[in-house]
Amino acid sequence: MAEIRLYNTLTNRVEPLLPVHPGEIRMYTCGPTVYAFAHIGNFRTFVFQDVLRRFLHSQGLRVLQVMNVTDVDDRIIRAAAAAGVDIREYTEKYLEAFLADLDALHIEMPEELARATDHIEDMVALVEKLQQRGLTYTSEGSIYYRIAGFPAYGKLSKIDMAGIQPGARVDVDQYEKQDARDFALWKAPKPGEHSWETRIGPGRPGWHVECSAMAMKYLGDTLDIHTGGVDLVFPHHENEIAQSEAATGKPFVRHWLHAEHLMVDGQKMSKSLGNIYTLRDLFAKGQKPSTIRFLLLSVPYRRQLNFTEEGLVQARSSVERLRNFVTRLKTPKIAPGSNPETQKRIEKAESDFDAALADDLNTAMALAAVFDLARDINTAMDREALLQQDALRAVAAMEKFDAVLGVLVDDDDDKLRKLGFGVAQARLAAAQVEALIAERTEAKQRRDFQRADAIRQQLADSGILIEDMKDGSVRWKYK
Ligand SMILES: [Zn+2]
């Protein structure tokens, strides 16, 4: 097992990862605000942390990962009030979409997915602790964190707080505070908008307090790893440190990991350029989930990633090359036996792969190890020099790589169909649907429920909903 070394934003150095609890990594990931569909830049960060957790697993470490879901913030509250629905109801469809997107990209579910609105009590308790420490003040019903009371403020972002003039807009909160740098822990209620009655008064939590409270609830006072996009370093993560460390007196996070920005065609994503893509935008253009995952993970997380059409074409062919390689290895025509040189070659690829990822998650180097192996073994197969046991060994190596990469299993069509794409081409004609329904009814009559269920599933997979009526007839429609 290679020593895992990761860049730490807090110290500006690549440092060995030394777990607080031996054999286990406790990791917190800033999750989505379920206000809209997440975009491709968000997914770069989520794929990065997925590769990280899969790699840690592959190295024999247990991983306890918490991801928050921000289902309360000013925009959500206003939009829900305008739509006349509860915030929970308003955010539900975006949360569902987010989870479906994670699934499409083979991003493993964290051990704990924590919704902010389920943890109001934990946030109130944290604000109370800060009140007891004299780090807060109240203004017009809102509770603020007094940054002047936490001298270490700025240690993560290295921001020069003296340079920020009083009155400058640091945070986007539209509330009265003593110092522009201070931030809201708890926000006063507004008429007609969602709020909670609590021991610290009525209102709703600030975004920053959400992450501190939920991270420490599930992972303890000191986390091994906290990840997020680089845009969260200041003020969000700086504020998380201020809240957590002032409350516990202990270091909050050992290793801060931040993924760099994603650019589209060399430009920052922006509404005005119209280049903010959701996954669904790309699926609608015929892109496959595995292509996007491969492209997002192919650039090491601390390098800017330029998302281009050309990159997508390359990623797609790279995934195909790997899948074809494994298929070829599994052909039965290979002669029996084993060659120690080939075994050594495969072992080298495995150790190169691990070493690359252990070196601050260098995915580009790791992929190079995989493609170099594929090239060498393909050459051996061209010469009919590859033997059966070595082929099996190579398949095992590829499966090991894929436990981290997550692109070999060809379920792209399934994933797309689940999200409602690709249905049009595969859409059954009405006559075919009717015939299947008739066959299902007949199967039920002869009590062949397995067949009846299989037909229902086949219809569902083709985007057809059926409903059994009381009189024994069946209604159906396209999803
Ligand atoms: Zn956060």
Side-chain angles (χ1 to χ4, degrees):
M1 184 175 137
E3 184 191 52
I4 301 168
R5 297 170 63 82
L6 298 167
Y7 184 83
N8 187 352
T9 311
L10 188 63
T11 58
N12 282 344
R13 279 198 307 264
V14 176
E15 295 175 338
L17 179 66
L18 303 167
V20 177
H21 304 85
E24 180 175 84
I25 295 296
R26 300 190 180 186
M27 167 160 116
Y28 187 85
T29 300
C30 283
T33 298
V34 279
Y35 171 74
F37 293 113
H39 58 65
I40 194 76
N42 304 132
F43 284 108
R44 182 199 190 181
T45 307
F46 296 129
V47 167
F48 140 64
Q49 52 82 9
D50 183 59
V51 168
L52 174 62
R53 66 169 275 142
R54 284 163 170 262
F55 175 60
L56 296 174
H57 262 150
S58 80
Q59 298 302 294
L61 290 158
R62 285 190 306 279
V63 176
L64 180 54
Q65 184 191 6
V66 176
M67 182 192 282
N68 67 302
V69 173
T70 301
D71 59 356
V72 50
D73 84 344
D74 290 352
R75 289 168 304 171
I76 290 170
I77 286 173
R78 266 181 238 129
V85 295
D86 182 59
I87 54 170
R88 196 86 183 186
E89 192 183 334
Y90 184 82
T91 52
E92 200 64 44
K93 63 177 179 295
Y94 294 113
L95 176 56
E96 270 175 33
F98 177 70
L99 297 178
D101 285 353
L102 292 187
D103 178 59
L105 289 184
H106 290 178
I107 294 174
E108 294 178 349
M109 278 296 282
E111 282 62 32
E112 193 71 49
L113 191 73
R115 291 183 75 154
T117 54
D118 289 334
H119 296 80
I120 301 296
E121 169 57 32
D122 302 295
M123 300 173 209
V124 168
L126 178 57
V127 174
E128 282 177 325
K129 260 192 198 168
L130 295 171
Q131 286 178 323
Q132 287 155 16
R133 308 256 192 291
L135 281 162
T136 67
Y137 60 90
T138 304
S139 167
E140 298 183 354
S142 294
I143 303 170
Y144 293 94
Y145 188 105
R146 196 165 48 78
I147 282 176
F150 185 73
Y153 195 87
K155 68 177 176 179
L156 180 71
S157 57
K158 322 294 184 295
I159 198 151
D160 179 10
M161 293 308 285
I164 296 181
Q165 299 300 312
R169 277 174 64 97
V170 173
D171 214 336
V172 292
D173 296 326
Q174 299 148 10
Y175 297 85
E176 271 312 305
K177 35 192 175 181
Q178 291 174 358
D179 187 319
R181 306 173 301 175
D182 294 341
F183 59 92
L185 295 162
W186 189 256
K187 299 176 177 186
K190 288 184 184 170
E193 293 185 0
H194 195 104
S195 65
W196 284 265
E197 288 295 334
T198 72
R199 295 190 301 277
I200 55 172
R204 60 210 205 214
W207 171 39
H208 314 300
V209 79
E210 173 191 317
C211 283
S212 282
M214 297 197 294
M216 292 193 291
K217 176 187 174 110
Y218 294 104
L219 302 174
D221 292 345
T222 302
L223 286 53
D224 294 300
I225 294 177
H226 193 313
T227 66
V230 69
D231 51 322
L232 296 185
V233 174
F234 182 83
H236 184 51
H237 291 163
E238 201 70 75
N239 292 351
E240 280 188 44
I241 291 175
Q243 295 163 152
S244 305
E245 298 194 351
T248 67
K250 294 178 203 158
F252 176 43
V253 172
R254 284 196 171 179
H255 248 101
W256 283 95
L257 268 61
H258 292 100
E260 254 301 333
H261 284 296
L262 176 143
M263 313 285 276
V264 173
D265 297 323
Q267 288 178 299
K268 242 184 130 157
M269 283 188 295
S270 75
K271 270 197 183 129
S272 59
L273 289 171
N275 61 357
I276 302 178
Y277 295 113
T278 66
L279 280 190
R280 284 140 210 263
D281 294 335
L282 297 167
F283 296 154
K285 291 180 174 188
Q287 298 298 342
K288 294 180 182 189
S290 61
T291 305
I292 296 164
R293 180 179 171 96
F294 186 94
L295 179 53
L296 293 181
L297 69 75
S298 63
V299 177
Y301 76 100
R302 281 205 300 132
R303 257 195 256 152
Q304 236 176 43
L305 188 158
N306 190 20
F307 194 87
T308 62
E309 185 70 40
E310 193 195 350
L312 284 165
V313 172
Q314 274 175 16
R316 188 176 184 130
S317 89
S318 296
V319 172
E320 271 165 28
R321 227 184 312 153
L322 294 179
R323 288 176 179 173
N324 291 341
F325 172 54
V326 174
T327 306
R328 191 176 181 202
L329 283 171
K330 289 178 175 170
T331 58
K333 282 188 227 154
I334 298 174
S338 172
N339 177 341
E341 286 303 310
T342 315
Q343 295 279 332
K344 250 191 249 162
R345 177 66 192 85
I346 297 168
E347 272 161 33
K348 181 182 182 306
E350 285 177 336
S351 64
D352 286 352
F353 183 83
D354 283 350
L357 292 178
D359 180 13
D360 197 23
L361 220 61
N362 192 332
T363 46
M365 289 287 285
L367 285 173
V370 177
F371 281 100
D372 285 352
L373 178 71
R375 189 199 53 222
D376 290 354
I377 301 278
N378 267 324
T379 307
M381 280 193 278
D382 293 343
R383 292 190 280 111
E384 296 185 2
L386 187 76
L387 302 175
Q388 186 63 48
Q389 261 172 277
D390 301 336
L392 291 176
R393 181 77 179 72
V395 170
M398 289 301 288
E399 281 167 0
K400 208 178 136 216
F401 299 148
D402 199 54
V404 178
L405 302 175
V407 295
L408 277 186
V409 176
D410 189 356
D411 58 3
D412 286 311
D413 289 346
D414 277 359
K415 299 290 183 196
L416 287 172
R417 223 173 296 131
K418 262 196 202 165
L419 290 173
F421 294 96
V423 172
Q425 302 92 303
R427 185 177 255 200
L428 296 171
Q432 287 171 296
V433 176
E434 298 285 357
L436 280 167
I437 287 173
E439 193 192 333
R440 174 171 169 270
T441 305
E442 191 246 341
K444 276 166 88 178
Q445 279 161 358
R446 54 166 207 275
R447 307 191 66 75
D448 184 354
F449 297 111
Q450 213 180 335
R451 177 65 191 143
D453 286 347
I455 294 172
R456 174 185 271 275
Q457 191 57 49
Q458 186 190 346
L459 290 166
D461 289 346
S462 311
I464 283 147
L465 294 174
I466 60 175
E467 192 185 352
D468 291 308
M469 309 307 288
K470 275 200 183 119
D471 64 359
S473 66
V474 179
R475 262 201 226 154
W476 67 273
K477 63 176 184 192
Y478 292 111
K479 240 188 268 184

